[in-house]
Every structure is written in structure tokens, then in C-alpha cells.
Amino acid sequence: FIILRFFYFYNSMSLFNYRLFTVMTGSMQPKYNIGDVLLCKEVDPDTLKVGDDITYVGEVGSYQGKVVTHRIVKIEKSENNELLFQRM
């Protein structure tokens, strides 16, 4: 029996394609509270749907380089056929 405890804001390690992240803010309350640990798995973006929660590394503005979790509220395709996710 092994217990792993992770207290990383940005966890670059994975175990069997899963990563653990600790919730640092109350932006997703009441679903996720500060201190909750999220178990995340990388998935094909084509499988995501409205209502899914996603965790990713931000690329712009104040989110740049930070791990962020949001709920998908809308999905569109760009002119380049890329998926665009509107998040809450």
C-alpha cells in the first residue's frame, strides 16, 4: 500500500499518463475547493465536450505558464480547423 502526496502547483511528472494537481484558488467552487487534488489525464481534444472540465498550462496574459482548470461552455472550429474552447 503506497500513498503519494503531491503539493506542486505545476506538476510536470506523470504516472501512466495521469497527473495530480492541487487546487490553489476558489474559482471553480463549489465543484472544486481550495486544497482539493485533481487527477488529470491527457486526452484527444476531439473527445472533449461542453460541460467537461479541463486542466491546461496557460499561454497568454496572466495565465501564461500557470496550470488552469476551467469548464468548457462552448466549442467552435477556427478557419484553420483548430478547436476553440470557450471556458467559464
Side-chain angles (χ1 to χ4, degrees):
F1 181 48
I2 298 174
I3 298 175
L4 299 175
R5 292 181 66 170
F6 290 88
F7 294 99
Y8 301 115
F9 177 70
Y10 180 77
N11 180 1
S12 60
M13 299 177 354
S14 69
L15 182 63
F16 302 109
N17 294 322
Y18 286 90
R19 289 192 169 107
L20 295 172
F21 296 98
T22 302
V23 176
M24 304 299 287
T25 71
S27 66
M28 289 289 291
Q29 286 181 322
K31 186 164 186 178
Y32 306 119
N33 295 305
I34 296 171
D36 284 355
V37 176
L38 304 181
L39 177 64
C40 302
K41 182 176 194 290
E42 189 172 331
V43 299
D44 182 337
D46 289 322
T47 67
L48 296 172
K49 59 190 177 308
V50 171
D52 285 346
D53 295 334
I54 57 174
T55 299
Y56 60 95
V57 178
E59 296 180 352
V60 297
S62 62
Y63 295 117
Q64 187 171 10
K66 295 179 182 174
V67 176
V68 181
T69 299
H70 284 295
R71 179 162 300 123
I72 298 172
V73 295
K74 186 177 183 179
I75 301 173
E76 297 177 344
K77 284 200 175 187
S78 72
E79 293 175 2
N80 300 340
N81 213 28
E82 295 175 325
L83 291 174
L84 304 172
F85 299 99
Q86 183 178 354
R87 63 221 187 304
M88 183 160 136

